[in-house]
Structure formats: C-alpha cells, structure tokens
Amino acid sequence: MAAPACSGAPSLGRAVRVGLPAPRGATASVTHGHRACPRISGAQVIAEVNAVRRKSRLKPLATDARLARVARDRAAAMAASGRLSHRGWKRALRQGGVDGHLLGENVAYNYSSAAAVMRTWLDSRGHRANILNPRFRRVGVGCVIDARERYWWVQDFAG
C-alpha cells in the first residue's frame, strides 16, 4: 500500500503544508543506503506534469538541473532518515543555487512508478495546485529507492 504524499505549496513566499501528511509512525528504515531510481522516472513525471498543464492551457515547465539536483538530494536525505518531510526544503533550494521568489515542493514515498505518484499528486488538491500553478516556470524531480525498495519522490518548482 502506498503512503500519502505531502505538499509544500507556495503562499506569498512562504511554505504552507497542504495535502495529506504521512501517517504517524510510517517510516522506511534505511540500513544499507539507497540507489537512484531509473533515470526515465523523473522524465516521465515531468512529461506528465506538462501534459496536465497543456490540458489546462498552461505553459509547460522547463526542466531545471539545479532543482533536479536539490530534489534528488532531498529524496536521498528523506530515504536515509526514513521520514517524509518538508523540513528545510526552502533552505535546501536556496543553498542549491535556486533563485526565484516563488517556490513549491511535492513529496511522496512508496509509489513505485512515475504514473502512480503523479496520479496521487493530481488527486490531492495541494499537490495539484503546485503542478498547475501558472506562476511556476521550472521543475526538477528527484527519486531514490531505499534498502526496503521504497521509492522516495521530490518534485521542486520555481517561478
């Protein structure tokens, strides 16, 4: 069974937690590290984001290497800690060289495909709001698989 996702939605330049938090006690212990998801996974998420945006008559988001690097690092940190969290996400983006006044983040774990995580994010009002925010211009996706074969996803956005 997949765990709920969590969204850090933009609101006047500050993070607001929306969507469903991870259930109490839901963790994935990492005893032997993690590995990167197949490279195609992030590309599939971005392709689906842009398909949904086109259907809503919004401009597609450009893939941003800095956002992707921070997203991957955040996914790895969550996998290592075994906790789904937005803690420090804005600071991580700034330290990663991401500029812009408008930032957003979606996170999730235990969805083993791009299609599954996107379906869940799109079914959540807060996550969908990030994906369809017309002020966002760039996106980066990170994904890692922990030692228990759970996928940890991060989708970072910038205006």
Side-chain angles (χ1 to χ4, degrees):
M1 183 163 114
C6 194
S7 168
S11 175
L12 303 174
R14 63 184 178 86
V16 177
R17 292 185 81 174
V18 296
L20 301 171
R24 182 178 284 277
T27 64
S29 67
V30 178
T31 57
H32 296 94
H34 56 270
R35 66 184 190 281
C37 293
R39 190 172 293 236
I40 190 74
S41 299
Q44 288 171 330
V45 167
I46 292 170
E48 185 152 349
V49 163
N50 284 330
V52 170
R53 288 177 65 89
R54 276 190 292 278
K55 286 179 187 173
S56 297
R57 297 191 171 140
L58 296 170
K59 291 181 180 179
L61 299 177
T63 301
D64 184 292
R66 285 183 181 160
L67 285 169
R69 185 172 45 255
V70 172
R72 183 186 62 242
D73 290 349
R74 292 208 16 86
M78 285 188 287
S81 72
R83 297 221 179 262
L84 190 66
S85 174
H86 288 289
R87 188 176 202 165
W89 71 275
K90 266 186 142 175
R91 184 177 56 250
L93 287 168
R94 297 289 184 218
Q95 289 175 345
V98 176
D99 59 353
H101 296 289
L102 185 68
L103 301 171
E105 178 175 77
N106 290 341
V107 301
Y109 82 95
N110 211 20
Y111 295 93
S112 61
S113 71
V117 77
M118 278 300 298
R119 191 170 37 254
T120 300
W121 280 334
L122 290 171
D123 286 344
S124 162
R125 185 175 52 200
H127 297 98
R128 187 177 186 85
N130 275 345
I131 291 166
L132 295 177
N133 187 324
R135 294 172 52 203
F136 286 142
R137 299 287 180 250
R138 301 171 287 150
V139 65
V141 174
C143 177
V144 300
I145 304 167
D146 70 19
R148 293 180 62 194
E149 297 299 313
R150 291 187 182 175
Y151 286 61
W152 295 80
W153 297 89
V154 176
Q155 190 179 50
D156 284 322
F157 302 91

